[in-house]
Amino acid sequence: PEMRYTVSLDVHKRETQACIADDDGEVVAEKRFRTSEPSYRRALKKYGERDVVFEAVGFYRPVARWLDRLGDE
């Protein structure tokens, strides 16, 4: 079966910090990228099956829309 990842996001207006963990909870990557839809697409594309979590404050609505378009729930 394909590896499933958990992506934890710390979203800020200009930049987002991401921590990506595998099925075993081991951190496989940490990334910092612009808070924009194209940047999210580039940063997360290699982590196919994934669950994404982030705190729903401030700038969460656009981020939720971008993730929805990428197929995340």
Side-chain angles (χ1 to χ4, degrees):
E2 189 173 340
M3 174 76 67
R4 185 165 193 89
Y5 297 94
T6 300
V7 179
S8 301
L9 301 175
D10 184 9
V11 180
H12 296 270
K13 188 173 184 175
R14 291 193 174 98
E15 289 188 320
T16 295
Q17 177 75 31
C19 179
I20 299 99
D22 64 15
D23 281 335
D24 297 323
E26 295 294 321
V27 174
V28 296
E30 292 188 38
K31 298 174 175 259
R32 182 181 299 263
F33 47 90
R34 289 191 61 215
T35 300
S36 70
E37 186 170 3
S39 295
Y40 271 61
R41 188 174 305 282
R42 282 190 301 276
L44 302 180
K45 69 181 177 183
K46 78 180 252 184
Y47 306 101
E49 289 292 319
R50 62 186 179 250
D51 296 311
V52 180
V53 295
F54 65 98
E55 188 176 3
V57 296
F59 199 67
Y60 83 93
R61 285 189 177 101
V63 172
R65 282 193 300 271
W66 303 336
L67 292 171
D68 187 48
R69 287 196 281 263
L70 290 172
D72 296 300
E73 294 184 9

